Every structure is written in structure tokens, then in C-alpha cells.
Amino acid sequence: EQLAGCQFAFSQHNKYSNAMEPNDYRRILDCLLVKEQSTQYQVPIPPHSHRDLGNLGWRRKICDWYYEFVDYFNFDREVVGVAMNYFDRYIASQKSCEDLNTLATHQTVAATALFLAIKLHSTSCEICEEDTNSLRGRALSKILYGSPKPQDILDMEMNMLEGLDWYVNPPTLHDFALMFSKLHPISDVCNESGSYLYETTRYQVELAIFIPELLANFKSSVIVYAALKNAEEKIYAENPVILTEEGKPSHSASRLHLSVMVDPTKVTQCQIMLKRVCHQLPDLDYFSDNDRNVSNSPTTVVNFCD
């Protein structure tokens, strides 16, 4: 009941609005952490005979397409994380890969995962709800009627829902990125640094979606907390005045009001993996308010993956 109440409260606020109070963010974060405990991300590991379709190169192409499609319709990039969650979990749930070992079937699964994610989770921070609904309809039509066999997507949608046990609202990396950044004490010291903390954390988790090992080995909260720690290091290295006694923010998870303490060893391991994916974080002045008005994410993640 408490979880349902928090989810309802979350749905009533725009994610980029300042209307919510700190206690609201704490309650939502607690709910997300509780929900996370009952979930496990599954990544498909195809047999050797099916490596041609199940390798990371193919999965990356799907992820690239998701980002391009979502950016074109100006939806929040959280949709990509949800769609990849559906795709990975559905492929992993299939006991036999025989039925999936065709290019056409993989394309159908990928298109259906995005179709379902847009239907359930598409939002935009720049346009009104009415326009978002219109864009959502156009996007769904584009996926459905852009397919050689639209009925295949509709049939796969039901198969996917059953394969996912109808669990289609996982706590997302973007949810945690928003909650952590809103509760981080650095925002009380410097608004610009607080904004950079959120954008850079978000930027790293958008890259993390390309890496199935990260998603399989670490919980979403750990990935986001590790990304946040990397962003902290960048801020404190380039803006040491933040570390002065009058405004020194705490690095501890307790200051973020986590109901459970994250495993520091896991966080360190995840930080290292994220740094391998993202060799250098953007400069402190890379993000700006103008960027946020132009796009749901000011970073083209594909460029940083090359």
C-alpha cells in the first residue's frame, strides 16, 4: 500500500519539476529500493551456435536504434532503458533459442519491446501532455506500420507480456539518477554543481545501457550511485572550493537518505567499469539550461561510445 501510494505521488509530478519536497523524494527513493529488491535483471547468453544474433554487436545496434528513435520523437531517454530491459529479459526467458535465431524474429522482439515501452513509459520534459499523446500515437504507428508484418508485433506484444510475467514497471536507472541528485547535499551549496551532478550521472547511465554486464552484475541503484560518485570526483577535482568547510557536502550514502547502505565494494567495482565505458566525463560547463530545452538529453551517447 505504501509503495502504491508513492508510485501515485510520483506520477502526479513532472520529473523535472521542482514542485516536490525533499520528503517526497525520500519516500519515492525508499519505494524504489524496496521494489528493486524483488527484481533481477536478466541478460540473454545465447549458445555458441547462436552467437551471430546474440552477440553484443547486435544488441548495441538495437540500443543505437532505440536512442535515435526516442530522440526523434523527443521522448525522455528513460524509454530506452525500459525497452532494453524488456528485450533482455524476454530473450533470457526463452528456454530455447531456436525460435529466436533469425534476424526477422530479433527485429520483431526489439520493435515490440520499444513499442511496449513507449506505450507505457513515454514522457517528455519539453512539451505538454496533449502533444506528448499525439507524438506517442505517431511513434507507435511508425513502429507498427513500419514493420513488414504489423500483426507480428501485436502477437509478440502478448508473448512478451507473458514472458515478462507482466512485470513492466521496473525501477529505472533514470528514476534513481533523479532521486539521488535531488537529495544530494551538493545542490544546497551550488546549483550549477547540482545540475552537473544530475546530468553527468544521467549521461553515464545512458551509456551503461549499452553494457549488459553492468546491468546483469549490479543493481540499478548501485550503477547510479557509482555514476554519481564518478561525477562527484570530477566536480571536486575541478571545483575544489566546494570542499571548503562552510559547504562541504558529505559523500556518504546516508546523506542521500538511502534506506539500505550500498555495498562499497560493489560501488567501487562499478565505478571502474563505468570509467572504462566513459573514459572522460564532460567538463563542468558542458551542460547548460539551454541544452535541456533543446533535447531530453544534451548528450549524444552514441558519439561517446565510439
Side-chain angles (χ1 to χ4, degrees):
E1 182 178 348
Q2 181 185 13
L3 179 59
C6 287
Q7 290 174 324
F8 175 78
F10 198 13
S11 68
Q12 303 309 303
H13 294 273
N14 185 295
K15 287 186 179 182
Y16 302 96
S17 169
N18 292 321
M20 296 174 66
E21 299 293 331
N23 284 338
D24 295 326
Y25 291 114
R26 293 186 192 110
R27 289 177 58 241
I28 293 168
L29 178 56
D30 286 341
C31 291
L32 290 172
L33 290 165
V34 169
K35 193 173 184 180
E36 185 182 47
Q37 297 305 310
S38 62
T39 65
Q40 182 177 1
Y41 198 102
Q42 294 175 298
V43 174
I45 305 177
H48 290 291
S49 59
H50 305 313
R51 292 286 181 183
D52 54 332
L53 288 177
N55 62 21
L56 297 183
W58 174 245
R59 185 184 180 280
R60 174 171 170 165
K61 289 178 181 178
I62 293 173
C63 201
D64 281 343
W65 173 58
Y66 281 176
Y67 274 120
E68 290 175 3
F69 191 93
V70 165
D71 285 348
Y72 177 81
F73 284 97
N74 207 34
F75 294 134
D76 193 276
R77 284 181 164 188
E78 181 179 38
V79 172
V80 175
V82 174
M84 287 308 305
N85 181 290
Y86 295 166
F87 177 83
D88 286 338
R89 287 168 53 215
Y90 178 76
I91 297 293
S93 72
Q94 303 307 293
K95 295 183 177 171
S96 171
C97 289
E98 293 298 332
D99 295 336
L100 297 172
N101 193 33
T102 66
L103 178 61
T105 304
H106 265 65
Q107 288 176 332
T108 300
V109 173
T112 304
L114 183 60
F115 183 82
L116 191 57
I118 289 174
K119 185 185 290 187
L120 298 177
H121 292 277
S122 57
T123 60
S124 175
C125 63
E126 289 91 19
I127 59 180
C128 67
E129 184 176 354
E130 182 178 349
D131 289 340
T132 299
N133 290 337
S134 175
L135 280 176
R136 185 182 297 115
R138 288 171 50 199
L140 294 175
S141 295
K142 178 74 173 176
I143 296 173
L144 191 62
Y145 297 108
S147 169
K149 298 180 179 179
Q151 188 60 44
D152 286 352
I153 293 180
L154 298 177
D155 293 340
M156 180 61 72
E157 182 180 23
M158 183 55 65
N159 291 337
M160 184 170 290
L161 287 169
E162 293 174 351
L164 300 177
D165 293 327
W166 294 83
Y167 185 78
V168 291
N169 293 292
T172 69
L173 293 164
H174 289 72
D175 284 337
F176 283 114
L178 179 65
M179 296 301 110
F180 284 177
S181 63
K182 287 292 186 181
L183 292 170
H184 196 283
I186 200 171
S187 297
D188 298 332
V189 181
C190 176
N191 288 334
E192 290 78 11
S193 294
S195 176
Y196 177 85
L197 185 78
Y198 170 63
E199 297 291 357
T200 307
T201 299
R202 177 184 166 100
Y203 154 62
Q204 290 174 85
V205 302
E206 287 177 359
L207 289 177
I209 294 170
F210 282 92
I211 314 299
E213 291 87 353
L214 273 168
L215 304 175
N217 295 326
F218 303 100
K219 291 184 179 295
S220 295
S221 59
V222 173
I223 295 173
V224 175
Y225 190 67
L228 180 140
K229 296 292 287 181
N230 286 345
E232 276 185 351
E233 291 176 1
K234 179 74 171 180
I235 293 171
Y236 300 151
E238 296 192 12
N239 189 11
V241 70
I242 295 263
L243 294 176
T244 58
E245 287 304 319
E246 50 269 13
K248 183 176 181 180
S250 170
H251 297 207
S252 67
S254 61
R255 284 297 302 273
L256 293 176
H257 305 279
L258 296 179
S259 59
V260 292
M261 181 67 72
V262 291
D263 183 345
T265 302
K266 285 279 190 181
V267 171
T268 300
Q269 293 172 347
C270 191
Q271 279 188 265
I272 293 171
M273 289 189 68
L274 284 172
K275 287 176 180 178
R276 290 173 182 166
V277 176
C278 174
H279 303 291
Q280 184 174 359
L281 294 180
D283 294 332
L284 295 187
D285 60 355
Y286 181 84
F287 303 108
S288 69
D289 291 337
N290 290 333
D291 290 325
R292 176 58 70 190
N293 291 331
V294 170
S295 168
N296 275 301
S297 176
T299 303
T300 303
V301 297
V302 177
N303 292 344
F304 286 88
C305 282
D306 294 337

